[in-house]
Amino acid sequence: MRVKILGSGAGGGFPQWNCACANCRALRAGTFHGKARTQAQLAISADTSSWFLLGASPDLRTQIEANPELHPREGLRQSPICGAVLANGDIDHVLGLLLLRELQPLRVYATDSIRRILTEDNSMFAMLQRVPNQVTWTTFAPGTIFPLQNPTGEDFGLRCRTFSLGTHYPAYVAADRQSQLNSGEASLGLIVESPSGKRLAYMPAVPQIDNLLLQEFESVDVLLFDGTFWSDDELIRIQGSGQTARQMGHVPVSSDDGSLSRLAGLRRPRKIYIHINNTNPMLNEAGPEYRRVRESGWEIAEDGWQFDL
């Protein structure tokens, strides 16, 4: 399985369009010791010809153009992208589907709750249903294992399993609609197994780390983990108001109960932080936070990385 990190930033990317924090100012001024990032997006393939997306980033068009493997190859209208797996309904995780609306057949995997939000509550997503079989929705329940197949049902040997991580739906989902949905389908972690038996965990939004999660991580070969915020009060300190990282559904990297400490005992997987917010000081490759992460055996994902499992 080839894994391509198309985007590694949190919602809004880095720099964020309306942010003048120290990181964004320095990056725009050309004095920042670090790299720009688009919004988090993975693409995976068992044969490097047919690709599946994990999520659907608002930056997807730019990411496709930056990666020749995702360019059309045959005929006037064609794409090697044949499907997407949705782990939640967040705007920065699903908006990219609307960029794939040009009548290209796709298979989209989602829980029933996320499918209902997008197809029943949001009229814009009707653009994905303008012609028969434009998008084939395939629903799954958390905890089940399902194959990744193209719209015609061709199986490439990739197996995906999801499990519930959070119970909060995005703010755009009305309260009465949320009461009708399964809270365990709100936010999921993904584990994808390659035909070789190697396993990838994709966890861009993790509100807490428990022992069951630690056991899951010891069974994978590569862990792409929530690196959104360095500290729990990061946004409050920078903006003067707002929510903590944990209130937003993200365990912070630092502190005694942060991910850097809680996951220090993991031995098997290659550990990579992804979904990094523009305010996170570990983006600064000349800073102490960056050095601490690297010295702890972690990597910090960058747009354009790829590896094989």
Side-chain angles (χ1 to χ4, degrees):
M1 175 172 64
R2 178 155 296 174
V3 180
K4 293 186 69 69
I5 299 178
L6 307 184
S8 54
F14 177 53
Q16 194 174 95
W17 71 279
N18 68 339
C19 185
C21 71
N23 283 356
C24 289
R25 287 200 311 271
L27 187 67
R28 292 188 179 106
T31 60
F32 189 75
H33 296 282
K35 302 171 182 67
R37 285 166 165 82
T38 59
Q39 295 171 90
Q41 179 67 66
L42 295 191
I44 60 174
S45 176
D47 60 5
T48 69
S49 294
S50 298
W51 292 83
F52 293 88
L53 304 174
L54 303 186
S57 162
D59 292 325
L60 189 52
R61 180 192 175 279
T62 300
Q63 293 164 342
I64 289 172
E65 291 306 311
N67 291 272
E69 300 96 325
L70 304 182
H71 293 176
R73 298 188 188 123
E74 300 174 358
L76 184 63
R77 289 276 187 169
Q78 186 273 339
S79 172
I81 298 173
C82 56
V85 183
L86 305 182
N88 58 61
D90 291 347
I91 292 293
D92 58 356
H93 192 75
V94 303
L95 193 59
L97 287 179
L98 293 178
L99 306 180
L100 305 177
R101 66 189 183 278
E102 283 84 9
L103 308 183
Q104 172 72 32
L106 294 169
R107 184 181 295 273
V108 178
Y109 294 86
T111 62
D112 188 61
S113 296
I114 298 302
R115 180 195 61 78
R116 292 174 64 190
I117 291 170
L118 299 182
T119 62
E120 298 176 11
D121 297 351
N122 193 316
S123 60
M124 285 192 296
F125 281 86
M127 291 296 291
L128 300 176
Q129 304 287 359
R130 287 181 293 161
V131 298
N133 302 318
Q134 180 181 347
V135 166
T136 301
W137 288 89
T138 300
T139 57
F140 60 81
T144 59
I145 299 173
F146 53 91
L148 298 185
Q149 301 175 333
N150 68 11
T152 63
E154 185 178 0
D155 191 334
F156 299 92
L158 299 172
R159 296 292 179 268
C160 187
R161 180 167 61 88
T162 66
F163 45 92
S164 179
L165 292 176
T167 60
H168 298 291
Y169 285 96
Y172 72 83
V173 182
D176 59 341
R177 168 55 99 181
Q178 292 194 38
S179 68
Q180 302 167 11
L181 303 174
N182 183 339
S183 62
E185 297 182 352
S187 183
L188 308 173
L190 306 177
I191 291 181
V192 183
E193 184 171 316
S194 72
S196 70
K198 300 285 188 177
R199 306 172 84 205
L200 167 76
Y202 182 45
M203 309 281 158
V206 181
Q208 62 181 4
I209 301 171
D210 57 25
N211 290 333
L212 289 177
L213 206 55
L214 290 173
Q215 292 175 17
E216 290 283 0
F217 293 163
E218 283 291 8
S219 73
V220 303
D221 298 279
V222 175
L223 170 62
L224 288 165
F225 190 83
D226 185 348
T228 309
F229 298 111
W230 178 258
S231 58
D232 195 38
D233 64 347
E234 186 170 312
L235 291 185
I236 297 173
R237 285 187 294 102
I238 291 173
Q239 301 175 166
S241 63
Q243 294 180 306
T244 67
R246 292 182 185 278
Q247 287 171 336
M248 297 176 68
H250 299 284
V251 61
V253 173
S254 67
S255 77
D256 290 342
D257 59 351
S259 59
L260 203 59
S261 176
R262 291 283 287 133
L263 301 180
L266 291 181
R267 293 293 176 260
R268 176 174 176 177
R270 175 183 177 185
K271 298 180 289 188
I272 306 172
Y273 279 120
I274 197 168
H275 197 268
I276 305 146
N277 201 58
N278 58 290
T279 56
N280 194 322
M282 73 182 187
L283 289 170
N284 181 359
E285 296 173 17
E289 295 86 359
Y290 177 86
R291 290 195 298 273
R292 180 180 169 191
V293 169
R294 298 293 287 118
E295 290 169 358
S296 297
W298 283 81
E299 300 169 74
I300 300 174
E302 299 176 11
D303 294 18
W305 282 10
Q306 74 173 35
F307 48 88
D308 294 329
L309 289 175

